[in-house]
Amino acid sequence: MLVKKEKLKSFMETKNLSKAQFAEILDVETGEVEKMLNGETVGLDTSRKFIRFFKAEVAQHYIDWKAMNIENPLEDRK
């Protein structure tokens, strides 16, 4: 999974969270948060924990669907 790194950086700044603190919240290694903030791919376990933390409705806006060349399955297509 790829995340919109600027959006995640903004969230972390707003909540005054360091990389280590956010990693602890997600229960992942700090390196996984660093990957997200660098625009790198994270694995399935980190992806699941990220989505579980934000809940799908919010997480979908942090996931970089376009960069992954995937349509957002939660997007309203009316």
Side-chain angles (χ1 to χ4, degrees):
M1 177 183 80
L2 292 167
V3 300
K4 295 177 180 174
K5 60 185 182 180
E6 295 303 322
K7 189 167 186 144
L8 181 57
K9 284 178 189 175
S10 177
F11 167 80
M12 290 173 62
E13 288 172 3
T14 299
K15 299 296 184 184
N16 199 29
L17 292 171
S18 68
K19 293 173 190 176
Q21 289 170 319
F22 191 55
E24 186 175 330
I25 289 168
L26 294 182
D27 191 27
V28 300
E29 297 293 324
T30 303
E32 289 294 285
V33 174
E34 290 173 352
K35 285 181 183 180
M36 287 188 266
L37 294 172
N38 289 328
E40 299 173 39
T41 303
V42 293
L44 182 60
D45 184 57
T46 300
S47 300
R48 285 182 173 159
K49 290 175 178 181
F50 182 88
I51 293 168
R52 194 173 298 129
F53 170 74
F54 279 110
K55 308 297 183 228
E57 186 62 36
V58 174
Q60 70 174 321
H61 301 291
Y62 284 87
I63 297 170
D64 196 341
W65 300 100
K66 187 174 182 176
M68 294 187 300
N69 200 28
I70 299 173
E71 284 190 40
N72 178 349
L74 301 176
E75 189 174 69
D76 189 10
R77 300 198 195 323
K78 293 181 182 175

